[in-house]
Amino acid sequence: MQELQGALPQERIEQLKVHYKEVLSLLGEDTEREGLLKTPERVAKAMLNLTKGYTMDPHEVLRSAKFQEEYSQMVIVKDIDFFSLCEHHMLPFYGKAHVAYIPNGYITGLSKIARVVDIFSHRLQVQERMTLQIKQCIQDTLNPLGVMVVVEARHMCMQMRGVEKQNSVTTTSDFTGAFNQAKTREEFMNLIRNS
Ligand SMILES: [Zn+2]
């Protein structure tokens, strides 16, 4: 990974192609049949896209749109759709993220919160860490009175392999500051459930 950091995307695509072709072959496929000829390149490009979050700095996204504002009520961005890849199986997990924070002199653009979710989800992840990273990024950058993140997701590595009930949803949450109070967490949970 390290020495690949500086490589041009095209060089990385070329290198990934070679490996994905080998993987197809090891899976017992005929890599020369028509439908598969361009598959290694397509997979290489898709995987680079799905992991593009490594090259982006979510802290910078928030810092670039940080505004001084006296508003001190809860700000909620709910139903942020995301798609990620579990780092154990490299299979998708996807769902919704809900974020709330209570400003302490600074707010950010609402779309920037969704961008933060987007960046962290475009990396190999586990749902628990992604939840924590989103929370920590907002806490570190905006220094709010509190931040809370709830993530609800379906994991293909469980569903496709029949490990769990087909429609089970995994929920994770993490919070800081004012959200240590049960009443504040309840207010947020009520607001994301109603409507
Ligand atoms: Zn998995």
Side-chain angles (χ1 to χ4, degrees):
M1 190 65 207
Q2 282 305 337
E3 73 254 27
L4 284 174
Q5 284 294 342
L8 294 169
Q10 194 54 48
E11 292 171 46
R12 297 181 67 187
I13 291 167
E14 292 303 321
Q15 291 177 29
L16 284 163
K17 261 167 66 176
V18 174
H19 293 290
Y20 280 120
K21 188 171 175 183
E22 181 68 13
V23 168
L24 282 173
S25 183
L26 288 168
L27 290 174
E29 272 291 352
D30 169 10
T31 57
E32 299 306 318
R33 71 182 174 85
E34 199 185 358
L36 290 181
L37 279 178
K38 287 201 151 188
T39 297
E41 182 172 357
R42 287 192 206 97
V43 176
K45 287 177 176 171
M47 290 305 291
L48 280 175
N49 185 274
L50 296 175
T51 58
K52 68 182 181 207
Y54 287 120
T55 59
M56 299 170 178
D57 180 1
H59 296 82
E60 188 48 42
V61 167
L62 289 187
R63 267 187 233 113
S64 71
K66 184 176 165 183
F67 310 107
Q68 206 163 5
E69 186 61 61
E70 289 315 306
Y71 184 82
S72 60
Q73 299 302 308
M74 197 182 291
V75 178
I76 296 174
V77 187
K78 65 173 188 171
D79 296 332
I80 303 167
D81 289 313
F82 76 87
F83 297 85
S84 191
L85 292 172
C86 89
E87 68 183 14
H88 301 136
H89 305 91
M90 293 176 74
L91 287 170
F93 69 97
Y94 66 94
K96 291 181 186 299
H98 314 285
V99 176
Y101 71 98
I102 301 171
N104 182 21
Y106 289 95
I107 58 165
T108 187
L110 297 179
S111 68
K112 304 301 176 189
I113 299 282
R115 282 281 294 135
V116 167
V117 172
D118 197 58
I119 290 171
F120 282 121
S121 62
H122 278 75
R123 298 178 181 183
L124 297 186
Q125 280 287 8
V126 295
Q127 183 177 334
E128 294 87 342
R129 187 177 64 234
M130 188 179 86
T131 307
L132 183 146
Q133 286 175 331
I134 296 165
K135 174 210 74 173
Q136 204 57 47
C137 178
I138 295 167
Q139 183 63 47
D140 292 346
T141 319
L142 300 178
N143 190 32
L145 297 175
V147 54
M148 181 161 175
V149 178
V150 175
V151 176
E152 301 169 306
R154 295 173 191 280
H155 290 251
M156 288 300 106
C157 62
M158 292 199 294
Q159 298 193 349
M160 292 176 77
R161 300 187 310 140
V163 178
E164 290 237 331
K165 285 187 183 134
Q166 289 300 315
N167 284 314
S168 69
V169 174
T170 304
T171 303
T172 49
S173 65
D174 204 352
F175 51 83
T176 66
F179 289 92
N180 278 294
Q181 293 180 332
K183 203 170 136 258
T184 312
R185 290 200 301 278
E186 268 165 40
E187 185 186 340
F188 174 46
M189 294 308 282
N190 286 335
L191 285 163
I192 62 176
R193 283 195 182 118
N194 298 336
S195 82

